[in-house]
Amino acid sequence: MTAEVDIAGLLVPTLLLSMLAAWLLMLPLRRLLGRLGAYRFVWHPPLFDFALFVMLTAGLAALW
């Protein structure tokens, strides 16, 4: 993983880009899980969402 990416002269950490991409992936994923009724089996939905966000962020950071 490189330390930072140059975007129009602005150095942006790759972890920030991974977090932004994970957040963008979370939006439709949360809606899909809600429509499928997956949240009925989850004890604490905000904690589940946070854990899913962390896993997506880690996965995307590993790909960079």
Side-chain angles (χ1 to χ4, degrees):
M1 180 160 122
T2 59
E4 50 214 12
V5 175
D6 183 16
I7 299 177
L10 180 66
L11 295 176
V12 179
T14 54
L15 184 60
L16 180 65
L17 295 176
S18 298
M19 291 175 76
L20 179 64
W23 181 71
L24 290 174
L25 285 173
M26 279 288 296
L27 296 175
L29 189 58
R30 286 182 63 208
R31 182 170 288 172
L32 177 68
L33 289 172
R35 288 189 182 185
L36 292 176
Y39 284 106
R40 291 181 301 174
F41 304 107
V42 174
W43 170 69
H44 200 285
L47 187 60
F48 176 79
D49 288 340
F50 179 68
L52 191 59
F53 174 75
V54 169
M55 288 188 292
L56 285 172
T57 302
L60 290 171
L63 292 175
W64 288 91

